[in-house]
Amino acid sequence: MVRVRFAPSPTGPLHIGGVRTALYNYLFARQQGGKMILRIEDTDQTRFVPGAEQYIIEALDWLGIKFDEGVHIGGPFGPYRQSDRKAMYRQYAEQLIRDGWAYYAFDKPETLEAKRKEYETQKKTFQYDCNTRSTMENSLSLGMEEAQRRIDAGDPYVVRFKFPDNIDITVHDLIRGDVTMNSRLLDDKVLFKSDGMPTYHLANIVDDHTMEITHVIRGEEWLPSAPLHVMLYKAFGWEQTMPHFAHLPLLLKPEGNGKLSKRDGDRLGFPVFPLEWHDPKSGEVSSGYREQGYLPQAVVNMLALLGWHPGTDQEMMTMDELIKLFDISHISKNGAKFSLDKAQWFQHEYFQQLSDEEVARMLEKQVKDHGIETDHGYCVKVASMMKERITFPSELWDTCCYFFQAPTEYNEKDVAKRWTPDMHIHMQKVVDILNTVPFEHDAIHKALLDDYIAANGLNTGKVMNSLRIAVVGRTVGPDMITLILTIGKEETIRRVQKAIAKLKVEN
Ligand code: GLU
């Protein structure tokens, strides 16, 4: 039975790179008929940010990434928040010490800092490891008895992992293949602190083991920690059930190299967070995909393809299709460049899949927010006509406002280009035609374009665009006669007469 977990630390809003990690875990779990777990890794209390956990839950829920067990829904392997599991970690740290895989260390922060400085002056880097640990204050150099005496006396301590000297540690990664590192390159990481809190490394391994996690799918930034994690499984005697690892490639800036950061988003105008985030400390607000009007399906589809491909040219995939097609062996080793164009392309495509009804509801609300009464049927008509021009819901009012109100001003450039001094005569003719011919497409088309414009050798573009200026305010919009039929005869005539009056005087 496949069991995967998404294990964020509640240190702020969830970056979209983290969302992608959650998504890949979800796709894999669903495809394998396995379970998806949400575990909150909050052992580092200094980085805890209030509201972050709730934000993560809300963001993933908005995107349709669902959990079978987790901090918000419980489950048979709970609790799912590490601070609520605090009591269970000490015994594991003690087991490692007993078995010779770890030791107590009493070095004060000042001592460690002085060591670092000392090494720096020799152009070397200090590492707490098999070469230096005998020179430091720990249960190996002091002896266990002295160590116990200090602990009993209340001296602060940490528990460090004791890497064996000069062994090669291999991590089998489902994306990268075998990654091997020598233990001499690794430092004796802190696993546990005297305040009773484990560090990320210990808690992560104990939890993955006790929660029976089968696959660890996480960001590439954790690859350097993986050899320690593999060694911890060995040290605990849990090698047989050690999860498979898959380290996902980084999400890169749209141009140049490097990790996609919040600053890139601010600079280039796209969110790097799924939902808007209000920083509780600084009060700073960061934009979110949801608030910018992105559809969750668009964000999911875009993120799925940042680092993975289905092996075909197919780009549009629903969550169900993604679940079917997802394959860890098709995840790229290389970083994936974020593209705003692509994000907007997906958004546009998914917006087109909304029904006219759904778009009409958004439009209706915006119209009413502008203090204009309208009816739903009319909004559906406008929505069906205008949807293809829309990418974001926020564009609806600007793009469609002339269906609901007469223009209050006329675009100067358009007027200068199209509205010749004789134009009021032609516009008066339009009014006459609308007043006399049946109010339907073919009749208007024939009377206006054939019997008047063509028969009199007039410039179709000039006349029709002037009519557009009168009705819309500028030379944009759908087919002119369809537009007239939609807004109605009386309203069209009113607008044309208003334009005649205004533009005649002004020219
Ligand atoms: N708590 C870690 C993070 O915030 C999880 C790393 C892992 O998945 O092992 O990314």
Side-chain angles (χ1 to χ4, degrees):
M1 162 70 113
V2 162
R3 290 175 57 82
V4 297
R5 80 315 191 260
F6 179 54
S9 298
T11 54
L14 185 59
H15 186 273
I16 51 165
V19 175
R20 187 195 58 177
T21 300
L23 175 64
Y24 284 11
N25 272 285
Y26 175 70
L27 297 178
F28 183 68
R30 281 292 172 275
Q31 178 186 80
Q32 302 288 317
K35 298 271 189 250
M36 167 79 165
I37 292 134
L38 178 61
R39 183 172 77 220
I40 296 293
E41 302 208 323
D42 59 347
T43 53
D44 189 350
Q45 295 290 325
T46 59
R47 295 181 61 219
F48 177 82
V49 172
E53 180 181 312
Q54 203 41 49
Y55 176 97
I56 292 166
I57 293 167
E58 195 182 330
L60 298 176
D61 184 59
W62 175 64
L63 290 162
I65 296 172
K66 300 190 196 80
F67 291 90
D68 303 295
E69 297 168 29
V71 70
H72 53 318
I73 46 174
F77 293 82
Y80 293 92
R81 189 184 293 111
Q82 289 182 330
S83 55
D84 295 337
R85 301 168 68 80
K86 185 176 165 187
M88 66 180 287
Y89 300 112
R90 180 184 296 275
Q91 56 179 309
Y92 290 102
E94 283 168 357
Q95 177 187 334
L96 291 179
I97 292 174
R98 252 197 333 270
D99 296 348
W101 283 104
Y103 56 91
Y104 296 110
F106 303 93
D107 315 276
K108 297 196 175 55
E110 310 85 78
T111 320
L112 291 168
E113 193 44 43
K115 270 275 178 217
R116 255 176 239 128
K117 288 249 164 69
E118 180 194 321
Y119 272 65
E120 251 166 50
T121 56
Q122 300 166 33
K123 298 222 164 0
K124 287 195 288 192
T125 314
F126 173 71
Q127 185 165 278
Y128 209 120
D129 60 15
C130 56
N131 292 316
T132 58
R133 60 171 87 105
S134 61
T135 67
M136 307 300 289
E137 271 180 82
N138 51 53
S139 54
L140 302 173
S141 60
L142 301 168
M144 204 52 184
E145 236 168 74
E146 169 62 8
Q148 196 56 54
R149 197 194 55 72
R150 289 194 182 198
I151 291 168
D152 295 343
D155 278 9
Y157 65 88
V158 298
V159 175
R160 286 182 181 273
F161 188 69
K162 187 178 156 199
F163 266 113
D165 184 17
N166 195 18
I167 56 160
D168 281 336
I169 305 160
T170 297
V171 180
H172 302 286
D173 188 273
L174 297 174
I175 298 166
R176 280 146 226 278
D178 281 358
V179 180
T180 301
M181 213 182 275
N182 191 277
S183 62
R184 289 215 167 146
L185 296 169
L186 301 163
D187 63 328
D188 289 352
K189 276 270 179 312
V190 173
L191 300 177
F192 194 81
K193 292 166 286 176
S194 50
D195 64 0
M197 268 301 200
T199 61
Y200 154 75
H201 301 291
L202 180 67
N204 187 270
I205 271 42
V206 167
D207 288 350
D208 281 348
H209 175 73
T210 54
M211 292 180 180
E212 296 177 15
I213 299 303
T214 58
H215 293 75
V216 167
I217 303 169
R218 62 183 174 191
E220 185 184 79
E221 64 273 26
W222 296 105
L223 188 58
S225 303
L228 168 64
H229 297 173
V230 167
M231 283 306 289
L232 279 167
Y233 282 100
K234 197 182 168 79
F236 281 121
W238 299 336
E239 262 179 311
Q240 292 309 314
T241 54
M242 181 168 77
H244 300 282
F245 291 102
H247 289 92
L248 306 175
L250 290 177
L251 278 194
L252 303 175
K253 299 176 188 302
E255 75 249 342
N257 284 321
K259 220 171 135 176
L260 180 67
S261 71
K262 181 171 137 33
R263 235 168 299 123
D264 299 316
D266 295 342
R267 192 166 50 87
L268 300 166
F270 58 86
V272 295
F273 302 124
L275 316 179
E276 196 167 272
W277 168 255
H278 297 249
D279 191 279
K281 261 205 202 119
S282 65
E284 191 196 347
V285 179
S286 307
S287 65
Y289 280 85
R290 182 178 66 182
E291 288 71 14
Q292 285 212 354
Y294 278 88
L295 294 162
Q297 313 91 287
V299 178
V300 162
N301 200 152
M302 172 218 29
L303 281 178
L305 287 171
L306 278 176
W308 170 81
H309 64 88
T312 63
D313 289 341
Q314 187 180 359
E315 290 195 283
M316 293 289 287
M317 283 166 272
T318 62
M319 190 70 102
D320 285 342
E321 284 173 292
L322 287 170
I323 289 169
K324 235 183 260 147
L325 295 168
F326 188 70
D327 179 351
I328 290 185
S329 69
H330 277 151
I331 295 175
S332 155
K333 286 192 196 60
N334 306 320
K337 259 192 199 321
F338 178 86
S339 157
L340 179 59
D341 286 348
K342 205 73 216 182
Q344 291 182 345
W345 181 84
F346 276 114
Q347 167 66 14
H348 186 261
E349 293 300 309
Y350 278 97
F351 197 86
Q352 302 318 304
Q353 293 188 4
L354 296 179
S355 68
D356 295 344
E357 275 288 331
E358 284 172 286
V359 177
R361 269 197 297 277
M362 297 176 187
L363 176 62
E364 203 175 333
K365 180 167 182 312
Q366 292 182 22
V367 173
K368 289 187 173 154
D369 286 348
H370 278 85
I372 298 170
E373 269 316 306
T374 182
D375 80 276
H376 182 66
Y378 183 68
C379 287
V380 175
K381 223 183 197 176
V382 175
S384 78
M385 208 183 299
M386 301 300 285
K387 196 167 76 178
E388 64 185 35
R389 296 160 191 254
I390 306 282
T391 300
F392 294 100
S394 58
E395 298 161 3
L396 277 165
W397 169 254
D398 268 354
T399 315
C400 306
C401 57
Y402 51 84
F403 284 94
F404 303 91
Q405 64 176 21
T408 48
E409 52 191 33
Y410 304 100
N411 181 282
E412 271 177 38
K413 266 201 196 131
D414 292 342
V415 171
K417 191 165 163 207
R418 306 292 188 177
W419 197 285
T420 44
D422 60 339
M423 196 50 75
H424 59 283
I425 300 168
H426 307 311
M427 289 301 116
Q428 188 50 53
K429 187 67 193 173
V430 172
V431 173
D432 296 345
I433 289 170
L434 291 178
N435 269 324
T436 46
V437 304
F439 195 62
E440 41 110 297
H441 196 283
D442 291 354
I444 298 173
H445 190 280
K446 181 172 179 303
L448 184 55
L449 282 118
D450 303 343
D451 301 349
Y452 183 65
I453 296 176
N456 290 293
L458 300 174
N459 180 326
T460 312
K462 271 213 174 103
V463 178
M464 292 309 279
N465 274 303
S466 292
L467 177 54
R468 202 175 271 288
I469 291 170
V471 173
V472 175
R474 57 204 152 118
T475 51
V476 297
D479 168 67
M480 197 55 223
I481 296 178
T482 314
L483 176 56
I484 291 174
L485 291 169
T486 312
I487 64 170
K489 182 164 136 183
E490 274 72 44
E491 178 63 15
T492 307
I493 289 173
R494 246 197 316 275
R495 290 189 192 184
V496 175
Q497 282 170 336
K498 188 175 153 195
I500 292 173
K502 272 202 97 181
L503 295 173
K504 210 171 137 185
V505 183
E506 283 169 15
N507 273 269

